[in-house]
Amino acid sequence: MYLKIVSLTSLLFVSGMQVNAQNASAIQANGNAVQLSLTKAVEIALQHNLNVKSSEVSLRSAQLQFQQSKNNALPNLNANINQSASFGRSINPFTNGFDSRNINYNNLGLNAGVLLFNGGQIRNTVLQNDYNLKASQEDLASIKDNISLQVVLAYLAILNSEDQLSIANSQAEITKLQIARTEKLVNAGSLAPSNLLDLKAQLANEESNIVNFYSTLDLNKLTLLQLLNDSSISSFELQRIQVPIPNTKGYETGLDELYTKALTIQPLVKAADLRVQSALKGISVAKAATLPSLSFNASVSANQSNALVMSYFDQLNNTQNKVLTVGLNIPIFTRFASKTRIAQAGLQRENASIEAERARLTLRQNIEQAYLNLNNAAMKYEAGLSQVSALEESFRAAESRFGAGTIDFVSYNLQKTNLDRARLSLVQSKYDFVFRTKILDFYQGKSLTF
């Protein structure tokens, strides 16, 4: 009897997670649940996330601003057409004398201009907007990376909840087996009825725990569903992934090396550095406003009026006026506006430098915290393995002694409770280790999928 119970107990524990997953699969399949792989979940979240969409709009705006700053170096061309009507005593536009007729007057013009030199203001503005554009691209990459990481963590949280639920179901099945065996022994008069009642109370407690695990699973699913933000998905079934066994030797890359690499690839740091470069060009733009500017303009115009007896096109041909202008504008006194703009640009550069240092400090602190958490998770997992192994041996002995009636229910229940908690804690520490590993992978720019 003892060997059969131990064998069945082990079978229930090992296969419990698979059975539960199969049952969940069947239930969700009936509800037309969407089959989600980790890669697909990340793709859907990135496609529907509002922060990503907003950042994409900001990026397009930065692209337009950059292109316009380049276009500002091109010549401009304008045309104008003016039609006037004069009633009563008017001045004849051709004789400059008074005329009592009603006079219609038409003026056509075309003018063009180009800025030849403005102290490098246009060129530096182009460079400044180029840095801003690249910073916006890094902002978008950072948002996408963060969303991807959140999806991965939510995905793993669901798998963790499913595994813990499976263990809880296995524990309840083991208790049911003990109830069935104890009931036979009570009926045979070998055990007191209190033993059976205690086991039933324990089963009720374990079933309550199962309800709590279901609630946690539902909350984790809701978290992922909200990250997906896809109204066409109301329920889903995750494709289980092969979660790696924690390596208790720690992370493969040292802390300093990891931070050094993260500095070169993390979008937030790159964006902050680009904004420092943009702010430096902003100072050059402000200084350029204090220098002279040189421009060239050309215009041609012609007039037509009923005051002159001549055909329309002959009048336009005879009244042509062509003008070429070279203009030099020299700022002499601007009420200290240029000085103020230069000072403000300097403050913007200083603030951008502070933000860049803040980004580095935050990155360093986050990596240090993640590294410490990973090492702690590794040690916790290693300790959990030893604990589960020892408690399994102890529980097998307690189960045998309880069946033989040499120990009471309290002693048996204490051994089983300790083993149940250790198994749940081991699963939690396993996923916690994987969580921490993925966070460090994120800082190194590694793939977040498995």
Side-chain angles (χ1 to χ4, degrees):
M1 175 68 74
Y2 168 73
L3 292 177
K4 290 182 179 179
I5 291 176
V6 171
S7 176
L8 184 55
T9 298
S10 301
L11 178 62
L12 284 170
F13 177 70
V14 171
S15 64
M17 288 183 280
Q18 296 178 350
V19 172
N20 186 70
Q22 291 172 356
N23 290 339
S25 176
I27 292 172
Q28 294 192 13
N30 293 333
N32 298 321
V34 176
Q35 300 290 321
L36 277 183
S37 65
L38 179 56
T39 301
K40 186 64 176 179
V42 171
E43 291 177 355
I44 293 174
L46 292 178
Q47 181 181 357
H48 294 87
N49 185 267
L50 297 181
N51 290 334
V52 172
K53 291 182 178 181
S54 178
S55 184
E56 288 173 342
V57 171
S58 297
L59 177 59
R60 291 197 295 270
S61 177
Q63 290 171 334
L64 291 174
Q65 190 171 2
F66 170 66
Q67 185 59 49
Q68 186 55 51
S69 63
K70 294 173 64 177
N71 294 340
N72 288 341
L74 299 175
N76 62 69
L77 178 65
N78 298 290
N80 61 79
I81 301 175
N82 298 304
Q83 178 68 44
S84 302
S86 179
F87 304 95
R89 188 174 176 82
S90 306
I91 296 179
N92 189 309
F94 295 100
T95 64
N96 285 328
F98 285 101
D99 198 320
S100 59
R101 292 179 299 170
N102 294 337
I103 297 177
N104 295 323
Y105 180 78
N106 182 238
N107 173 263
L108 305 177
L110 192 67
N111 61 79
V114 61
L115 186 63
L116 301 176
F117 176 77
N118 71 338
Q121 190 170 356
I122 291 180
R123 177 175 58 85
N124 285 305
T125 300
V126 170
L127 294 174
Q128 182 181 25
N129 288 333
D130 185 31
Y131 285 124
N132 289 335
L133 173 59
K134 292 176 180 176
S136 295
Q137 291 171 340
E138 296 298 335
D139 287 340
L140 177 58
S142 177
I143 292 175
K144 288 184 175 181
D145 285 348
N146 279 308
I147 295 300
S148 299
L149 180 60
Q150 290 181 46
V151 171
V152 171
L153 297 184
Y155 200 100
L156 290 174
I158 291 175
L159 298 185
N160 179 24
S161 296
E162 289 179 346
D163 286 354
Q164 294 211 359
L165 178 59
S166 296
I167 292 175
N169 282 326
S170 297
Q171 293 165 353
E173 291 300 321
I174 293 172
T175 302
K176 289 178 182 178
L177 288 175
Q178 285 287 14
I179 289 176
R181 189 182 69 166
T182 302
E183 190 170 21
K184 292 179 181 178
L185 294 175
V186 169
N187 292 336
S190 300
L191 289 177
S194 60
N195 289 331
L196 180 60
L197 295 176
D198 289 336
L199 281 173
K200 289 183 177 181
Q202 178 178 318
L203 178 61
N205 183 62
E206 290 173 349
E207 289 177 341
S208 176
N209 289 336
I210 290 174
V211 172
N212 292 333
F213 282 122
Y214 269 116
S215 298
T216 301
L217 177 59
D218 288 340
L219 287 174
N220 289 333
K221 285 185 175 182
L222 178 60
T223 297
L224 181 57
L225 192 64
Q226 291 175 341
L227 284 171
L228 297 178
N229 194 32
D230 188 345
S231 59
S232 65
I233 300 177
S234 58
S235 62
F236 57 81
E237 178 189 349
L238 298 187
Q239 294 181 9
R240 292 194 66 87
I241 56 179
Q242 188 64 37
V243 179
I245 300 299
N247 179 7
T248 54
K249 294 181 179 179
Y251 199 67
E252 59 186 10
T253 307
L255 177 60
D256 292 334
E257 182 182 352
L258 197 156
Y259 173 65
T260 301
K261 185 175 181 180
L263 284 176
T264 63
I265 63 174
Q266 278 299 301
L268 278 180
V269 175
K270 294 167 71 174
D273 288 342
L274 287 167
R275 289 191 168 92
V276 172
Q277 297 299 318
S278 172
L280 287 172
K281 289 302 175 183
I283 296 176
S284 299
V285 171
K287 288 181 177 179
T290 65
L291 300 176
S293 62
L294 181 66
S295 61
F296 173 77
N297 293 278
S299 65
V300 58
S301 62
N303 306 318
Q304 183 275 333
S305 174
N306 64 348
L308 186 64
V309 182
M310 187 181 297
S311 68
Y312 181 84
F313 291 103
D314 286 340
Q315 287 191 46
L316 294 181
N317 185 56
N318 292 333
T319 58
Q320 285 188 29
N321 178 41
K322 301 174 182 179
V323 179
L324 298 177
T325 304
V326 176
L328 179 65
N329 181 55
I330 303 174
I332 297 177
F333 180 69
T334 60
R335 298 183 297 276
F336 302 107
S338 296
K339 182 178 180 180
T340 300
R341 281 195 294 267
I342 294 173
Q344 288 175 335
L347 292 176
Q348 291 175 358
R349 194 276 309 163
E350 185 176 349
N351 188 62
S353 298
I354 293 174
E355 291 302 316
E357 287 301 315
R358 192 197 310 277
R360 283 174 166 76
L361 177 61
T362 301
L363 177 64
R364 177 78 186 191
Q365 292 174 340
N366 289 343
I367 289 177
E368 289 174 343
Q369 185 65 51
Y371 208 86
L372 178 62
N373 290 339
L374 177 68
N375 290 334
N376 290 338
M379 291 187 291
K380 184 177 180 180
Y381 179 77
E382 187 172 12
L385 283 175
S386 301
Q387 183 185 34
V388 168
S389 178
L391 288 174
E392 284 177 342
E393 291 293 330
S394 178
F395 175 68
R396 278 193 288 268
E399 190 175 35
S400 176
R401 294 168 63 191
F402 179 69
T406 57
I407 62 172
D408 58 14
F409 173 79
V410 174
S411 299
Y412 165 81
N413 184 55
L414 178 62
Q415 292 293 334
K416 185 176 186 299
T417 300
N418 288 339
L419 177 59
D420 292 345
R421 289 176 178 174
R423 283 172 172 170
L424 291 172
S425 178
L426 182 63
V427 171
Q428 181 63 48
S429 61
K430 173 185 176 181
Y431 278 96
D432 188 47
F433 183 91
V434 176
F435 292 164
R436 307 303 177 183
T437 302
K438 282 302 170 184
I439 291 175
L440 292 180
D441 286 348
F442 164 75
Y443 287 125
Q444 285 203 99
K446 292 183 179 181
S447 173
L448 293 176
T449 55
F450 293 85

